[in-house]
Each structure stands twice: as structure tokens, then as C-alpha cells.
């Protein structure tokens, strides 16, 4: 049975007792790994807005304890995964696909390639960071705390601040490593990304730092607002964003440096670039 069926079927008790409880225990590493590996799955981007809306509707029905007749436990858990991947937890609104965590791998791969390829000159750095920071700002805005008021002015300031910081660090670092081996220069984009994240995220979410975030107990009851919790959460976000960039931006240059020593790789890379150029022209 299609979850998006227009015919309102009879409602029956949900086969899942409490759909608001995640399928895996979040107190364990494997439980968190199972959950987040599924909600960040790039294949979820292929789901249409109608699919997400149907999953959202089914999720809310299940929260009330009843679902359409014939709904299986598998369908409910699929709806739960899609809901947590594509629906904002505060506003319950469907997020733009590019701002979802499931978009991080495909978009991040492309942007990382741009950053690693365009880092030598100031115009290259400005263009690469324009792409990177525009994407970052959009992701930060999409996943912001909806209960915290973020103005367009704050968004603009954080965007400009991150751009300025990233470009500034790149230009200065490139001058400092001019006499160093080429491999050292390839680490400059990572330094710029780390700097930009440390500027962009706190500025984008400065309202949470100033006013605090709502703190709940284990039963979901509101205890109050905490500035300390906001600062801790934002710090963890900054560190996680920097850590996420390590494999692609620190390991890739080392691998590329070694592969470029081999003639077959250099020839293959040139043929690939020629084929790509012909394909887009």
C-alpha cells in the first residue's frame, strides 16, 4: 500500500508503540551510528516533497497511536527515518533538500574538490570560498534553532565574516608557505575551512548564545533556558564540522601527491580532463 494514497483508509492501532522513540538506543555508539547513517543517506534526497509529506503525515498519525490499515512496522520506521532526515525538529516544516544532512556527502564532495583545486591565487580562493560559505550559510540557516530569532542582518554578517576570514587566512597562509613543498600548500584550504567554521557557526547562532536554548529532561519536560548549553552545543558543532573535513581535505592531498608520482596516473588524469572538457562544451 502506498503511504501517499489519497483515499483515507480506516485507522488501526500502530504496530510501533511509540514512534517518537528512535529505533536504536542513542545511549550507545552503535545505536547512534545506525540512526545517523540512515538519516544522512544521500539516497533520501531522491524522495519527492510528496514522499516527505506522506512520511510526515504517517509519523504524526503514529504518534497519536493509530495508522492506516495495512501499515507495516517497516513502513513506519522508514517514515520515521525520512521525517528525521527532511523535517525540521522545531518548526515541523519540510527542509530544503540542499540544507539537509543527507546532502552533505554529495555536495561536500564537489565543494571539497573545488577547494583543493582552487587555492593558489586570490581570485581562485575567493571563488572557492564563495561557493563553500554560501553552502555552509544555507545549511546553518536551514538547521538553525527555529525557536531562536535569527535576523537577515545576522545571517548577512555571519556570511561576510566567514568569507572574509576564510579568504584572509588563505591569502596569508599561501604567502607563508610559498617556499615550502607543494604538499604543504594543499593543506591551506583546510585551514581556511576550519577558520570559517569557527566564525560562521557562532555568528549564525549568536541568538542562542545570547538568550540560551531550551533544556528538557529525559521525559521531554522543559526545565528552562541555558546559555551554557547553547555555548557547549555550538562548540561541538564547530568541532564536528572541522573533523568532518579532515578525511577529504587532509588525507586527499597526501594520496594525490603520491599518485601523481606515477606516470599512468598523470596520463589518465589528463585524458579524464580532456574527456570532461569535451563533454561540457
Amino acid at each position: 500500500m502506498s503511504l501517499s494514497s489519497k483515499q483515507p483508509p480506516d485507522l488501526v492501532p500502530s504496530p510501533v508503540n511509540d514512534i517518537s522513540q528512535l529505533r536504536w538506543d542513542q545511549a550507545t555508539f552503535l545505536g547512534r551510528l545506525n540512526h545517523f547513517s540512515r538519516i544522512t543517506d544521500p539516497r533520501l534526497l531522491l524522495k519527492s516533497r510528496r514522499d516527505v509529506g506522506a512520511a510526515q503525515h504517517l509519523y504524526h498519525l503514529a504518534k497519536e497511536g493509530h495508522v492506516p490499515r495495512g501499515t507495516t512496522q517497516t513502513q513506519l520506521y522508514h517514515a520515521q527515518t525520512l521525517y528525521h532526515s527532511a523535517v525540521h525538529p522545531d518548526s515541523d516544516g519540510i527542509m530544503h533538500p540542499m540544507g539537509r544532512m543527507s546532502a552533505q556527502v554529495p555536495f561536500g564532495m564537489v565543494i571539497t574538490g573545488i577547494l583543493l583545486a582552487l587555492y593558489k591565487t586570490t581570485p581562485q580562493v575567493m571563488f572557492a570560498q564563495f561557493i563553500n560559505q554560501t553552502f555552509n550559510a544555507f545549511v546553518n540557516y536551514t538547521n538553525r534553532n527555529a525557536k531562536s530569532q535569527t535576523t537577515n542582518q545576522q545571517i548577512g554578517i555571519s556570511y561576510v565574516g566567514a568569507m572574509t576570514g576564510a579568504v584572509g587566512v588563505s591569502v596569508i597562509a599561501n604567502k607563508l608557505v610559498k617556499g615550502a613543498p607543494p604538499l604543504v600548500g594543499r593543506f591551506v584550504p583546510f585551514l581556511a575551512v576550519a577558520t570559517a567554521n569557527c566564525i560562521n557557526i557562532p555568528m549564525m547562532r549568536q541568538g542562542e548564545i545570547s538568550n540560551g536554548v531550551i533544556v528538557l529532561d529525559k521525559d521531554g519536560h522543559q526545565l528552562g533556558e541555558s546559555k551554557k548549553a547553547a555555548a557547549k552545543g555550538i562548540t561541538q558543532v564547530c568541532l564536528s564540522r572541522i573533523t568532518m573535513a579532515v578525511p577529504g581535505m587532509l588525507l586527499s592531498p597526501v594520496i594525490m601527491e603520491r599518485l601523481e608520482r606515477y606516470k599512468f596516473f598523470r596520463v589518465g588524469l589528463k585524458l579524464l580532463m580532456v574527456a570532461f572538457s569535451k563533454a561540457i562544451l
Side-chain angles (χ1 to χ4, degrees):
M1 181 190 69
S2 173
L3 298 183
S4 57
S5 174
K6 295 182 179 179
Q7 297 298 325
D10 296 333
L11 297 180
V12 297
S14 172
V16 176
N17 291 331
D18 187 359
I19 196 66
S20 63
Q21 293 296 316
L22 296 179
R23 186 175 181 180
W24 293 276
D25 183 6
Q26 296 301 285
T28 67
F29 172 78
L30 286 178
R32 294 190 296 272
L33 178 63
N34 273 312
H35 172 65
F36 287 104
S37 64
R38 281 163 174 78
I39 66 171
T40 58
D41 187 341
R43 291 175 297 179
L44 294 179
L45 292 175
L46 301 176
K47 299 293 183 181
S48 67
R49 189 176 182 87
R50 183 180 178 183
D51 292 331
V52 176
Q56 182 183 30
H57 178 65
L58 180 58
Y59 179 83
H60 285 304
L61 282 177
K63 280 185 70 175
E64 296 172 2
H66 294 83
V67 295
R69 187 181 302 278
T71 302
T72 65
Q73 190 178 70
T74 300
Q75 286 176 310
L76 281 175
Y77 281 128
H78 175 70
Q80 183 193 63
T81 297
L82 190 51
Y83 178 85
H84 284 293
S85 174
V87 178
H88 196 285
D90 295 331
S91 67
D92 200 48
I94 297 176
M95 297 186 291
H96 190 282
M98 194 172 73
R100 301 173 193 169
M101 289 300 101
S102 53
Q104 287 295 304
V105 171
F107 281 90
M109 286 175 60
V110 174
I111 293 173
T112 297
I114 293 173
L115 290 169
L116 292 176
L118 306 177
Y119 68 93
K120 293 182 179 179
T121 67
T122 301
Q124 286 181 342
V125 169
M126 291 183 68
F127 175 74
Q129 287 302 329
F130 167 74
I131 299 294
N132 185 39
Q133 295 311 320
T134 299
F135 177 71
N136 286 342
F138 188 81
V139 171
N140 292 337
Y141 178 76
T142 301
N143 293 277
R144 73 195 183 285
N145 185 335
K147 296 176 182 177
S148 176
Q149 296 299 320
T150 303
T151 65
N152 291 333
Q153 183 180 14
Q154 289 173 329
I155 296 170
I157 292 174
S158 67
Y159 176 77
V160 173
M163 273 283 293
T164 303
V167 173
V169 166
S170 296
V171 172
I172 294 171
N174 276 331
K175 289 183 179 179
L176 293 176
V177 301
K178 246 180 183 177
L183 179 60
V184 176
R186 290 188 175 186
F187 292 145
V188 171
F190 173 76
L191 184 61
V193 167
T195 302
N197 276 320
C198 292
I199 297 173
N200 194 358
I201 296 169
M203 292 185 72
M204 179 69 75
R205 301 174 67 172
Q206 59 186 289
E208 297 174 36
I209 299 174
S210 302
N211 305 319
V213 294
I214 296 174
V215 178
L216 308 175
D217 63 16
K218 62 180 182 179
D219 298 317
H221 300 134
Q222 184 173 326
L223 300 177
E225 294 183 348
S226 170
K227 294 181 181 179
K228 185 177 180 179
K232 183 178 179 180
I234 291 170
T235 300
Q236 290 176 342
V237 171
C238 291
L239 291 175
S240 68
R241 293 288 178 85
I242 294 172
T243 304
M244 284 167 59
V246 168
M249 304 199 75
L250 289 187
L251 298 183
S252 294
V254 175
I255 295 171
M256 289 294 292
E257 184 77 9
R258 290 191 175 276
L259 287 175
E260 286 176 353
R261 297 175 184 176
Y262 299 100
K263 185 177 180 179
F264 78 89
F265 181 80
R266 295 195 301 271
V267 172
L269 189 61
K270 288 180 180 179
L271 292 174
L272 183 63
M273 292 300 293
V274 170
F276 179 74
S277 300
K278 289 182 178 179
I280 63 175
L281 291 178

